[in-house]
Amino acid sequence: MSDGPVAARGAATAVAPGARGATRIADRVVAKIAAQAAREAVGPLPKDAVPPHATVVVRPPAAESARTRGTATASARVSVQLELDYPTDIGARCAAVRRHVTERVGALVDMEVPEVAVEVERLHLAPGHGADGRTR
């Protein structure tokens, strides 16, 4: 059997977990995940609505927090732009988007999301509310 050299070679090349390096996830990847999470939270939109999109700023873990906590995670500040139908509870829908984006980004890329800013760019009047497209 030739297991001896392979086992010896594997033991000799083992690297401690802290010395293996780090994985960096690009900002645009986190932005795509955040936008998808926003689409999931908003639900169906009017036909002419633009799907939610997001911008993200990822901050690497601070050196001092990495030393004190052992393993520090990066944080992502997310800004989501979306369009909603009207009438709707805008505050509740924005809260749902914030909550879902925080959960999904945290779960999928293991990042803390201390801030999700939601910007409603446009409201779409739901069918049947005013013939001329205006409300009073």
Side-chain angles (χ1 to χ4, degrees):
M1 294 184 102
S2 61
D3 288 344
V6 173
R9 193 173 18 163
T13 61
V15 178
R20 289 185 192 148
T23 301
R24 183 183 182 301
I25 299 173
D27 294 6
R28 67 176 191 224
V29 172
V30 180
K32 286 182 180 185
I33 292 169
Q36 176 62 36
R39 281 190 291 276
E40 293 168 0
V42 168
L45 291 174
K47 289 178 267 185
D48 58 339
V50 175
H53 53 281
T55 55
V56 174
V57 175
V58 176
R59 300 186 194 280
E64 62 275 358
S65 65
R67 284 195 302 267
T68 58
R69 289 194 285 170
T71 59
T73 59
S75 66
R77 299 216 185 283
V78 179
S79 176
V80 177
Q81 297 79 34
L82 51 89
E83 298 181 7
L84 296 175
D85 51 347
Y86 183 83
T88 188
D89 185 351
I90 297 170
R93 292 191 68 189
C94 290
V97 168
R98 281 188 204 95
R99 190 171 38 258
H100 196 66
V101 167
T102 300
E103 291 170 1
R104 297 297 288 163
V105 170
L108 292 174
V109 296
D110 193 28
M111 286 187 179
E112 294 175 3
V113 184
E115 177 183 343
V116 178
V118 179
E119 178 183 347
V120 179
E121 292 184 331
R122 189 171 166 196
L123 295 173
H124 294 269
L125 189 60
H129 282 84
D132 61 356
R134 295 178 11 188
T135 59
R136 296 176 202 232

